[in-house]
Amino acid sequence: MSRFIRTSFPCYLLTLLPITAVSADNAPLELAPVQVEGQAISEAEATRTELQREQSLTPGGVTLVEAEDLKERSVVTLGDMLRYVPGMWTATGSTGDGTFISSRGSNLDAVAYDGNGMKLMIDGLPVTAADGNNHNTFIDPLAARYAVIARGANAMTYGASTLGGAINFITPTARTADNEAYLSVGSHGTVQNSVTGGVVAGDFDGLVTVEQRSYDGFRGHQEQQRGGVYANTGWQINDKVENRFYVTYVDNDQELPGSLSQAQFDEDPYQANPSNIPGNFLYDVEKWRVANRTESNLSDTSNLVVGFSFEDQSLYHPIVENPFFSLLIDNDQTTFGTTVRYDKKLGNHDLLLGLNYGETRVKGGNYQHSGGIRGALSTKVDNQADNLELFAIDRWHFAERWTLVYGAQAVTGSREVSNVDAASGVERNPKDDYDSINPRLGMIYQLADLSELFANVSKLYEAPTLYQLEDDVQANNETLDPMQGVVGEVGTRGTAPLGQASQWNWEVSVYYAQIEDEILSIDDPSAPGTSLATNIEDTIHAGVEALFGASLALGSNAQRIEPVFSLTWNDFTFDDDPLYANNHLPVAPEFFIKGEVMYRHGNGFFAGPTFDIVDDRFGDFANNKDIEGYELLGLRTGLERDNWEVYLEGRNLTDEVYVSNVSVSDNEAVNPVSIQAGEPRSFYAGVRFDF
């Protein structure tokens, strides 16, 4: 497993720390308590160690990111947080802090706005809606303590049934985080600040973070105002049981600049779409979420976690206005979720049993509008979905250095769309049930104390979202089939010394997946600007994910050079499709490389370049639209002390004009692809104080 960690000297590494090993008699080895500067392990270190232990038992691509280490650069979006996670293609710029995410080829679609393909969780409890959509989801990366990214079928550890995997964000508590004030300012009218304060009183603790973000944008009609409150309180009921209650509130008002034609982009890549300003296209979301989680250490070898969450989202979203029709979405989405996880060590077996259940209801309507002002009701919407995931995994240390990982997931769920035309009263009511058993078999071989090989074969499965069923290409109430397939993966990860005071580390995964009935979207010729979802019989998703890092001493531990390189190669194609043959799927580039080379001094000073190298990609299924690749150069510098830190960051220093987001079409020759520019030359500065 790769992760960002703070070491005894002021630097950040990508390091594998195996937690579980096997002795010669096949008994799991217990690690000695970790000591930090002579003190017993802190609760924060204990949380990190447990995350490492869990992820080290996964025979595939998993990365742990420590959010504390992100505060030496500007981090606004999930794309910023996931910058060095291989296999994750992210694109920003369509909104202030929205991020397009594709993991191992998920969500390469014209209806990418639903954000399907990744299951997002906070402390193991679902944020993603029960149908799999992340349309209205806002997660502040700096409001998390850690993030665990399990790609593809490796997300079975969390019970997720998605093509792309899962991200679990771990919340800081008053016992794991310092009181802190943070301020970041920069180009395009960016001002982001937060204050975190907590208290520990015996068996009780509480932590509150209040954050605010203002953004003018680098494009026309891109202004954003966002505020949020993140709070949790814990009660140590006894030495074996802890209960924690969470409350989140986010209010986000966002102007949408829209996509441009190639001619508009060539004229001025940073202008708003000419329709978006008079149409006043907006993406305004208000949400609140409550959750509760109880963890019980039943014995020295068993642990039980039970939790629930409830979230309410209100969306006001004028998005289309043209001579054919206008569309304003005004609805409320509520999601209830519950999770149960039971861990049991039984001899050489490390057992995990789990349950995830969710229910989502979307009520509201699609309206006509003029200039963003809601008009007459066009369609009454009352959609609902539920999803149950049951999973069981055994990590069997059957021989010295060998761990067999096997298990299965059972998924059952329902989707129902009720769209009633306001004028005629006619209801469109596609609904269906979706069920699957998804087995998994993997192996881990410990090469040395800090390196290992892994492999797995797993079934992939993902049911359609309500958005996809609403946009179904079927002319009646027939529904879409679920996406499913088989993936094989092999890889290695580890850490090795380089001389007496240096080390390097690596994580490499190679995977190949054959997918049936992948849900993609074709253009709707009767309503320009909209798309219709359909199943594609066969597609292939294959790739290589690699992450390399090092910490190289320069004469003494006081000075070091620390490079980080994240490399991803993608091969996502149709497989002998009658219409698209073996064309490449659009949006994701064939390869991309992101990296940095930091100089670090023992006094806390750091400085170094950052870079992005992105290959060409296609914008349409017919592969008639080629999106040019690009190279970006940046620079970061700063100074860190025990209780404060400052940084200065420059991005895209050569002011490269490039395409970040792509709105997919069938065929560029019939319906031209729309594109959006990435961030121009920008500068950011930030400061953090602990108190």
Side-chain angles (χ1 to χ4, degrees):
M1 180 191 65
S2 297
R3 54 179 224 80
F4 299 97
I5 64 169
R6 188 181 302 276
T7 63
S8 57
F9 44 84
C11 72
Y12 302 85
L13 298 176
L14 294 160
T15 304
L16 172 74
L17 292 180
I19 301 303
T20 302
V22 180
S23 65
D25 60 0
N26 296 344
L29 295 175
E30 298 295 330
L31 295 187
V34 177
Q35 300 292 319
V36 181
E37 296 181 353
Q39 301 298 319
I41 186 171
S42 68
E43 187 164 330
E45 291 290 331
T47 300
R48 184 171 63 186
T49 299
E50 177 57 27
L51 292 173
Q52 292 171 328
R53 187 197 73 84
E54 185 64 44
Q55 301 315 309
S56 70
L57 296 174
T58 302
V62 181
T63 302
L64 173 62
V65 176
E66 185 168 356
E68 281 295 308
D69 296 341
L70 302 178
K71 292 177 181 176
E72 63 173 35
R73 55 188 171 98
S74 178
V75 174
V76 175
T77 70
L78 288 181
D80 295 326
M81 176 183 241
L82 302 174
R83 173 174 171 79
Y84 294 124
V85 178
M88 303 287 291
W89 171 246
T90 63
T92 58
S94 60
T95 62
D97 54 9
T99 301
F100 169 82
I101 298 177
S102 175
S103 174
R104 296 191 171 182
S106 65
N107 201 29
L108 301 181
D109 197 2
V111 289
Y113 53 77
D114 68 356
N116 71 296
M118 291 292 294
K119 184 164 188 171
L120 305 181
M121 297 173 287
I122 297 178
D123 298 298
L125 294 166
V127 175
T128 297
D131 67 327
N133 90 78
N134 291 301
H135 183 259
N136 306 337
T137 298
F138 291 92
I139 294 180
D140 181 0
L142 297 181
R145 184 67 178 85
Y146 303 98
V148 181
I149 301 94
R151 298 182 293 281
N154 299 300
M156 186 181 286
T157 303
Y158 298 103
S161 54
T162 58
L163 296 187
I167 304 177
N168 186 28
F169 300 89
I170 309 301
T171 302
T173 72
R175 299 181 187 274
T176 63
D178 296 323
N179 295 336
E180 176 186 282
Y182 175 75
L183 173 65
S184 176
V185 298
S187 301
H188 325 302
T190 300
V191 179
Q192 183 169 341
N193 57 77
S194 66
V195 177
T196 298
V199 62
V200 177
D203 294 332
F204 296 90
D205 66 84
L207 186 75
V208 177
T209 296
V210 179
E211 63 94 16
Q212 186 273 338
R213 170 172 161 80
S214 298
Y215 180 64
D216 294 336
F218 60 85
R219 295 186 57 197
H221 200 65
Q222 201 180 22
E223 183 178 344
Q224 177 193 23
Q225 296 290 330
R226 186 193 74 201
V229 178
Y230 309 86
N232 68 83
T233 181
W235 175 25
Q236 191 71 43
I237 299 173
N238 56 47
D239 60 354
K240 294 184 179 297
V241 181
E242 181 189 60
N243 178 266
R244 190 161 297 278
F245 182 73
Y246 307 85
V247 176
T248 300
Y249 174 80
V250 177
D251 187 8
N252 183 78
D253 294 333
Q254 172 73 62
E255 295 177 339
L256 298 178
S259 299
L260 303 175
S261 68
Q262 186 65 60
Q264 292 168 336
F265 186 91
D266 292 340
E267 178 187 3
D268 178 4
Y270 306 119
Q271 66 176 308
N273 184 290
S275 299
N276 283 43
I277 295 177
N280 195 25
F281 293 175
L282 304 172
Y283 183 55
D284 294 349
V285 177
E286 183 179 20
K287 81 165 187 178
W288 59 270
R289 178 180 185 267
V290 295
N292 189 272
R293 183 179 185 271
T294 300
E295 181 170 1
S296 303
N297 294 319
L298 303 179
S299 69
D300 292 340
T301 60
S302 60
N303 186 72
L304 177 66
V305 175
V306 179
F308 72 86
S309 61
F310 180 84
E311 182 171 301
D312 180 85
Q313 302 174 349
S314 297
L315 173 68
Y316 187 85
H317 188 26
I319 188 58
V320 179
E321 186 176 26
N322 59 42
F324 298 93
F325 79 110
S326 63
L327 172 63
L328 182 152
I329 302 171
D330 188 355
N331 63 37
D332 287 313
Q333 176 178 288
T334 58
T335 297
F336 168 79
T338 187
T339 295
V340 179
R341 289 175 65 90
Y342 175 70
D343 291 273
K344 174 67 176 179
K345 293 181 181 179
L346 193 63
N348 296 329
H349 297 266
D350 196 322
L351 305 175
L352 172 61
L353 307 176
L355 173 154
N356 299 325
Y357 178 72
E359 293 181 359
T360 292
R361 186 80 176 264
V362 182
K363 299 189 70 174
N366 297 336
Y367 295 81
Q368 301 173 19
H369 78 98
S370 177
I373 305 300
R374 195 179 75 178
L377 177 69
S378 301
T379 306
K380 182 180 179 181
V381 175
D382 188 359
N383 302 337
Q384 52 191 321
D386 62 68
N387 209 63
L388 173 65
E389 298 162 328
L390 299 169
F391 55 100
I393 303 172
D394 179 20
R395 286 71 66 100
W396 178 23
H397 313 289
F398 66 93
E400 183 178 5
R401 298 183 179 274
W402 291 92
T403 301
L404 178 67
V405 181
Y406 60 97
Q409 174 196 65
V411 181
T412 181
S414 66
R415 310 285 189 270
E416 181 174 0
V417 168
S418 176
N419 287 185
V420 179
D421 184 82
S424 66
V426 175
E427 179 185 22
R428 185 169 180 270
N429 185 221
K431 56 183 177 180
D432 210 342
D433 296 326
Y434 297 91
D435 307 282
S436 182
I437 301 294
N438 308 318
R440 175 172 170 84
L441 179 65
M443 190 80 72
I444 300 172
Y445 175 71
Q446 199 80 33
L447 286 169
D449 289 344
L450 294 175
S451 61
E452 61 189 19
L453 301 173
F454 56 80
N456 78 82
V457 176
S458 308
K459 182 180 177 182
L460 295 166
Y461 182 84
E462 183 177 337
T465 68
L466 292 170
Y467 287 95
Q468 290 169 330
L469 289 181
E470 281 185 317
D471 294 332
D472 189 355
V473 74
Q474 304 294 336
N476 47 37
N477 286 330
E478 294 183 23
T479 57
L480 293 164
D481 293 327
M483 300 179 280
Q484 53 190 321
V486 176
V487 59
E489 179 180 4
V490 297
T492 177
R493 54 197 169 203
T495 299
L498 287 173
Q500 295 297 315
S502 302
Q503 65 178 8
W504 75 289
N505 48 84
W506 69 92
E507 176 187 322
V508 180
S509 294
V510 181
Y511 68 93
Y512 182 90
Q514 292 183 317
I515 298 175
E516 298 178 359
D517 296 319
E518 182 167 2
I519 299 174
L520 299 174
S521 296
I522 62 175
D523 299 312
D524 182 359
S526 66
T530 64
S531 301
L532 297 175
T534 188
N535 290 111
I536 300 298
E537 186 172 351
D538 294 302
T539 53
I540 293 173
H541 290 211
V544 178
E545 304 163 345
L547 187 60
F548 300 98
S551 181
L552 309 174
L554 298 178
S556 70
N557 285 337
Q559 300 183 74
R560 311 184 75 85
I561 296 293
E562 296 189 348
V564 174
F565 302 101
S566 176
L567 306 92
T568 299
W569 175 78
N570 298 316
D571 188 18
F572 308 142
T573 65
F574 295 94
D575 188 14
D576 292 330
D577 187 81
L579 180 60
Y580 302 113
N582 295 309
N583 284 358
H584 289 277
L585 294 176
V587 178
E590 185 173 355
F591 74 84
F592 56 94
I593 303 170
K594 298 182 179 183
E596 64 179 37
V597 181
M598 288 292 127
Y599 165 81
R600 297 185 182 275
H601 194 278
N603 64 9
F605 173 78
F606 61 88
T610 65
F611 60 89
D612 298 56
I613 303 172
V614 177
D615 192 28
D616 292 0
R617 56 203 143 128
F618 290 104
D620 63 342
F621 297 133
N623 288 180
N624 287 328
K625 176 62 174 179
D626 182 70
I627 307 295
E628 291 186 5
Y630 56 88
E631 297 81 34
L632 304 179
L633 178 66
L635 179 67
R636 292 198 295 115
T637 186
L639 184 65
E640 181 183 13
R641 289 290 188 260
D642 289 340
N643 60 354
W644 61 268
E645 184 174 6
V646 295
Y647 73 82
L648 176 65
E649 180 178 10
R651 297 183 176 181
N652 191 7
L653 297 180
T654 61
D655 206 20
E656 177 89 359
V657 176
Y658 66 98
V659 174
S660 177
N661 287 275
V662 179
S663 297
V664 177
S665 77
D666 274 337
N667 191 332
E668 164 74 7
V670 177
N671 185 19
V673 172
S674 297
I675 53 181
Q676 298 187 49
E679 187 178 28
R681 182 188 294 120
S682 307
F683 296 94
Y684 299 94
V687 59
R688 172 184 59 84
F689 291 98
D690 294 339
F691 59 92

